Amino acid sequence: MRIVADLGKCEGLGMCEAMAPDFFEVDEDGVVDVLDAEPGEEHRTDLTAAVDACPVLALTLQG
């Protein structure tokens, strides 16, 4: 599985960071940093919730 962030869409609202702080962090520029782009399958439920929480649809999971 791979986390993909569309930085052009990201507005730095931080919903992803609130849902999965081990994988997302909004930097001082107000854009998300993906901390682990290829997490293990055991994290799929939490990451799906974080991706679904993004109000601007800037995140996707591949694989």
Side-chain angles (χ1 to χ4, degrees), residues 10-63:
C10 181
E11 294 182 3
L13 300 171
M15 298 301 295
C16 57
E17 184 176 13
M19 299 290 289
D22 292 337
F23 298 95
F24 303 101
E25 181 177 84
V26 177
D27 65 20
E28 63 270 358
D29 294 329
V31 178
V32 69
D33 285 328
V34 177
L35 303 176
D36 182 358
E38 295 187 13
E41 190 63 33
E42 67 273 16
H43 301 289
R44 183 174 290 276
T45 300
D46 291 337
L47 291 171
T48 298
V51 167
D52 290 346
C54 180
V56 296
L57 307 175
L59 299 170
T60 56
L61 291 179
Q62 295 178 345

